[in-house]
Amino acid sequence: MKSLVTGASGYIGKNLVKLLVKNGIEVRAFVRKTSNIKPLLNLKNVEIFYGDVTDTSSLENAIKGCDYVFHLAALVYDWGKYEKFYRVNYLGTENVLKAALKANIKKFIHISTLGVLDLRGKKIVREDCPYGHFTSAYCKTKAKAEMLVKEYNKYFPVVILRPGAVYGPEDPMCTLRTLNYAKRNLLFLIDKGKGIFPHVYIDNLNEAIFLAFQSDKAINETFNILDDSLATCHEFFNYFNKIAGKGEIKISLPYSVAWSLALIMDTIAKITGIPPLLSWTSLEFLTLKCKFDISKAKKLLGYNPRISLEEGMKRVESWWKRINSRFDA
């Protein structure tokens, strides 16, 4: 049993590879030549394969002899030019699917995002909610990729997982980025942080991915993957501010002010090419009023997120103290 993991050097990818090999599965880690593969080098039953999802020939060579595909490779950011996201997130997914079809694989597990859905209003968000109105190139291209994956379920079994914002030790996006903002006193709330922030701890997400890999009930299904309890932005981001030694977040902007700020920052970003502190996508995700239902994942996958927000943040705090003590030393 051999599995191809695209995006294997990324945060989710490297942790998934560790989980797979721990459970006796051989892994072919598909990475770019510029990727940091140090976390993968000492793992048994891991074969490093260099390539790019935009390069069809490298994909076809990588997937030969593999039974399963975990497709994680994507351009993940809340701001940027559409063409770059389309090339990697949509065309890259199309290339992986075509290579998987040629290789006659047994199952294709695709990591999408909750951001593909329409999250406006106070509704309960289930898997059958319609696709959203998208301000970000990331969400637009991930939605198109997800729709394409569904078309391939007539050729081989597919599973789609839609995680929320992933956090945990060593995470360079949500976790490290937020902690660095907190350290510089740049964290602020919008409307007192009343918005619901959909999050998932890294171990909980990879447990869900592994369950989807194991379960026949997951075939041709889509799952929202989040932690068990909902948290407001006030609760979630104050954890980071406290971990950074800054206490409670003191600044809260009215939505109208935040909207104007996002408009100004987005305009400046388009001119300078420097990502904005507050993007349109961030504004949307920091002011959600909807609730999220993960009962389908619990019922069909047996998903039971073990790591609570409190425990997850304790682990983040321990990691943050470690890396800062090394820096100080």
Side-chain angles (χ1 to χ4, degrees):
M1 188 185 299
K2 182 176 286 188
S3 297
L4 178 73
V5 178
T6 70
S9 63
Y11 181 57
I12 302 171
K14 68 182 181 183
N15 282 283
L16 176 61
V17 170
K18 291 176 184 177
L19 179 61
L20 292 174
V21 296
K22 182 181 178 181
N23 284 275
I25 298 161
E26 291 184 52
V27 173
R28 187 169 288 165
F30 191 72
V31 297
R32 292 176 297 166
K33 289 186 177 180
T34 56
S35 300
N36 176 16
I37 62 169
K38 287 183 180 179
L40 305 174
L41 291 178
N42 294 325
L43 299 176
K44 294 182 179 179
N45 296 321
V46 175
E47 176 188 359
I48 304 297
F49 198 103
Y50 291 103
D52 194 298
V53 292
T54 61
D55 177 9
T56 304
S57 61
S58 68
L59 276 168
E60 290 179 352
N61 290 330
I63 208 168
K64 285 178 182 176
C66 290
D67 303 295
Y68 300 90
V69 173
F70 296 84
H71 181 43
L72 284 69
L75 182 58
V76 183
Y77 210 73
D78 59 357
W79 183 87
K81 292 184 178 180
Y82 179 82
E83 293 75 16
K84 290 183 179 179
F85 287 90
Y86 181 81
R87 184 168 177 264
V88 176
N89 295 351
Y90 178 75
L91 295 180
T93 298
E94 184 177 39
N95 290 337
V96 179
L97 287 165
K98 287 179 177 178
L101 183 58
K102 284 187 178 181
N104 195 29
I105 64 156
K106 295 177 181 177
K107 187 183 282 187
F108 188 98
I109 299 166
H110 177 70
I111 308 305
S112 185
T113 171
L114 275 176
V116 303
L117 298 175
D118 186 347
L119 303 179
R120 294 174 293 182
K122 296 183 178 181
K123 59 181 174 289
I124 296 176
V125 177
R126 298 185 176 89
E127 285 79 1
D128 58 357
C129 281
Y131 288 107
H133 73 296
F134 311 108
T135 58
S136 82
Y138 171 68
C139 292
K140 287 180 183 178
T141 54
K142 288 295 284 185
K144 286 178 68 68
E146 183 179 302
M147 287 185 267
L148 184 63
V149 171
K150 289 179 179 178
E151 292 178 11
Y152 271 75
N153 67 15
K154 57 181 174 285
Y155 303 119
F156 45 71
V158 304
V159 186
I160 297 171
L161 302 182
R162 296 176 181 150
V166 183
Y167 81 101
E170 300 182 10
D171 161 43
M173 294 293 290
C174 180
T175 306
L176 184 59
R177 188 179 172 195
T178 304
L179 284 167
N180 282 330
Y181 282 154
K183 194 175 181 180
R184 295 156 57 197
N185 295 305
L186 291 175
L187 280 192
F188 57 87
L189 300 172
I190 300 170
D191 281 344
K192 298 180 181 179
K194 292 183 290 186
I196 300 297
F197 191 74
H199 61 274
V200 59
Y201 187 73
I202 181 63
D203 289 3
N204 293 338
L205 171 57
N206 277 322
E207 178 192 357
I209 297 173
F210 190 73
L211 288 168
F213 160 72
Q214 288 183 308
S215 176
D216 288 337
K217 293 180 180 179
I219 291 175
N220 298 338
E221 296 286 353
T222 302
F223 300 95
N224 296 339
I225 303 297
L226 294 164
D227 285 352
D228 222 350
S229 58
L230 294 172
T232 62
C233 290
H234 178 274
E235 182 182 4
F236 187 79
F237 289 101
N238 264 307
Y239 270 111
F240 288 115
N241 221 50
K242 291 174 182 177
I243 289 170
K246 301 296 181 177
E248 292 275 333
I249 298 174
K250 298 176 179 62
I251 301 173
S252 177
L253 303 179
Y255 180 82
S256 58
V257 174
W259 189 94
S260 299
L261 186 62
L263 176 62
I264 294 168
M265 288 186 169
D266 185 69
T267 303
I268 294 172
K270 287 178 179 177
I271 297 170
T272 63
I274 300 172
L277 175 63
L278 180 65
S279 67
W280 287 115
T281 303
S282 295
L283 179 62
E284 289 178 338
F285 272 83
L286 293 173
T287 55
L288 294 177
K289 296 180 176 65
C290 52
K291 295 183 178 180
F292 298 87
D293 183 1
I294 59 171
S295 60
K296 183 178 177 181
K298 288 185 172 184
K299 181 179 179 181
L300 295 186
L301 298 181
Y303 175 58
N304 181 28
R306 296 175 294 104
I307 309 301
S308 65
L309 178 60
E310 182 181 10
E311 175 60 27
M313 287 299 181
K314 283 181 181 178
R315 296 183 183 191
V316 168
E317 183 174 17
S318 296
W319 164 75
W320 180 250
K321 287 180 178 178
R322 274 199 316 275
I323 64 171
N324 279 279
S325 64
R326 289 174 191 168
F327 181 78
D328 293 340

